[in-house]
Structure formats: C-alpha cells, structure tokens
Amino acid sequence: MQLEEDTLVDVHCHIDLFEKPEKVAAEANSFQVNTIAVTNAPSVYFFTESMGHRLDYIHAAVGIHPELVSSRKGELREMWRILERTRFVGEVGLDYRVEDVSERRDQMDAFESILDQCATYKNKILTVHSRRAARDAVSAIGPDYPGKVILHWYSGGVRDLSRAIEYGCYFSVNLTMVRSKKGQDLVTRMPRERVLTETDGPFLKVGGEIATPAHVVQVTRDLARVWELSFEEARKQVSRNFRKLLDT
Ligand code: MN
C-alpha cells in the first residue's frame, strides 16, 4: 500500500458496480486515491480482489449487503474463508428500510456472526451500513470491539452517534452528508481524528456525474468548509486518520 502524508481516501466505493470497473479502478490508482472497494456478496469478491492485486491503491473488501442477506446467507461460509486473506470487510450492516421481521432477523444474525468472526482476527477494518438502524448497529458493535469499525454514511440520531464515538468508531462522510444541513450537523459532532471520506459510487452523483473515487477531492473540499480549514489541512487530517485506521 502507498501511503503519502496527504493521501486522498475513499473508504467506501462499489467499484465493481460501475459500468467500466477496470477504468474506474485504474483512474483511482493513477490519482493515488486509497480506495476501499466494497463488495455486496462473497461470490462477487474475486473480481475486485484481482483488481486489488494489480493496483496499489485499490483495497478489496469482502461483504454481504444487508439488503441481500436473506437471499445470500448461504454465502457466509465463503466469506469466512475469504476473511483469511483480506483485512477489509464491507459492505456489511443493517438496513431497516426492510420492514419484514424475518428479514431483519436474518440481517442481525448475519451482522452479529460477521462481527464475531472478524473479532477473532482483531485487526479487521469494517465499513458498516446502518440506514434507519443506527441504534441496533451501534449496539451490536458494542464498546471495545477488537477491530476498527467505520460507520459509513451515518444518518442516525445524536445519542447513537455519541455512543458510536464512545465505542471508538470511525465515520466516513460523503458528498450528500457534507452538503446537507443534517449531515453537516452530524459531521461537526464527529471527532475530527475519526472522520474519513467516501464517495459511495456509483450510487451518488456529483454535479450530474456519477461519483468515482476521484471525486473525494470534492468531498474533502466541502468537508474543509464544514471544518473551517483549508483544503490542504482537511486533506492532511483525513490522511492522518486513514493511517491511524491502518495501525494495529
Ligand atoms: Mn454502499
């Protein structure tokens, strides 16, 4: 891994879901954006893993998206095998946009198993989804989790945010967050040394364009505005945070 003092970071991007993933990955690499390339199911991990092997700045993460858990839980066994060879885990978590009780139970069962499996390694880095489920996600993580947890696109309440801060979580913020009042309010409550940048591409757009890792420049710029820092200062802060995240 290449870790410049002012490296740009995109800790949550679905490179494999772009129309031209190879092109997006190569561009992120040439722009020197350290990118955690999340995946939504163990069976599709291998494609991203092979890009990660070729490109220094692309770090493949194995995951199972909460909305896919009920239909793909049979793949968890595959995930345990993959965990032996990647430090990065995601996208995982809970999504309570799903209202079905048994699906929610499946999500929680899978998330708890994933947290348990990862805990045995002690150095895993997880990128966690918690839409409408911040309280349960933070409770499942708990205090003193043996690993690093990044709450991706945190959109819960202030009390659960405080708990997540107490528990040592990191937070990855994207353009929607730094450009909305609610998001900015949450960002100002997050300790600066725990904030990372993400694009969540290809699910977010920047000025009509689908966000790629290169767009973390815009995220960093807007984050700098929220922090009342210069772009370079914000970039260095996020870079420092990313290096700390990687420390065991
Ligand atoms: Mn995502």
Side-chain angles (χ1 to χ4, degrees):
M1 189 180 299
Q2 301 286 322
L3 270 179
E4 293 82 5
E5 285 246 319
D6 60 348
T7 188
L8 286 164
V9 299
D10 182 356
V11 297
H12 190 107
C13 184
H14 297 263
I15 292 189
D16 64 341
L17 298 181
F18 281 83
E19 211 171 295
K20 292 179 176 165
E22 306 273 2
K23 189 170 165 258
V24 172
E27 186 194 67
N29 204 66
S30 68
F31 286 0
Q32 304 183 324
V33 179
N34 269 295
T35 305
I36 299 182
V38 295
T39 55
N40 283 347
S43 54
V44 300
Y45 172 73
F46 306 96
F47 174 73
T48 302
E49 179 180 53
S50 78
M51 286 193 296
H53 284 158
R54 291 192 306 275
L55 304 166
D56 276 346
Y57 289 87
I58 306 298
H59 319 299
V62 62
I64 182 160
H65 195 283
E67 289 174 304
L68 297 179
V69 161
S70 287
S71 58
R72 304 262 191 156
K73 57 191 171 194
E75 292 184 33
L76 280 170
R77 218 169 301 140
E78 185 64 29
M79 187 167 177
W80 310 153
R81 277 193 289 273
I82 297 168
L83 279 180
E84 289 173 18
R85 55 179 205 269
T86 180
R87 197 174 167 195
F88 301 97
V89 179
E91 180 157 2
V92 295
L94 303 173
D95 192 318
Y96 287 177
R97 224 171 31 166
V98 171
E99 280 172 11
D100 184 83
V101 176
S102 76
E103 267 193 62
R104 283 194 182 181
R105 195 178 311 122
D106 282 347
Q107 287 188 16
M108 186 53 101
D109 286 348
F111 187 44
E112 285 180 335
S113 309
I114 291 163
L115 287 166
D116 286 348
Q117 289 283 335
C118 290
T120 65
Y121 293 86
K122 299 186 170 41
N123 72 340
K124 296 295 186 204
I125 294 169
L126 290 79
T127 165
V128 171
H129 175 109
S130 60
R131 181 163 45 200
R132 299 190 191 169
R135 180 151 314 153
D136 283 1
V138 173
S139 297
I141 295 157
D144 311 312
Y145 184 73
K148 304 268 177 74
V149 175
I150 308 167
L151 290 175
H152 130 78
W153 200 339
Y154 181 86
S155 57
V158 171
R159 276 180 59 182
D160 295 311
L161 175 66
S162 303
R163 222 153 41 96
I165 293 167
E166 226 177 279
Y167 294 175
C169 294
Y170 284 74
F171 303 90
S172 58
V173 309
N174 58 40
L175 216 63
T176 302
M177 296 174 74
V178 287
R179 290 188 178 175
S180 73
K181 178 130 188 358
K182 188 195 170 195
Q184 288 172 358
D185 178 57
L186 290 169
V187 171
T188 54
R189 292 169 189 271
M190 295 166 183
R192 280 189 193 179
E193 64 280 4
R194 302 257 201 87
V195 172
L196 298 158
T197 44
E198 64 161 59
T199 60
D200 204 14
F203 298 111
L204 284 185
K205 285 190 173 170
V206 184
E209 249 182 274
I210 292 172
T212 67
H215 289 100
V216 286
V217 172
Q218 277 90 325
V219 183
T220 309
R221 190 174 296 139
D222 282 47
L223 179 61
R225 212 164 287 149
V226 175
W227 280 347
E228 299 179 336
L229 293 179
S230 71
F231 171 76
E232 282 308 324
E233 286 167 333
R235 175 177 176 156
K236 284 210 177 95
Q237 177 70 58
V238 172
S239 164
R240 208 161 31 237
N241 301 347
F242 184 66
R243 279 176 282 137
K244 208 174 119 219
L245 175 81
L246 295 172
D247 280 351
T248 39

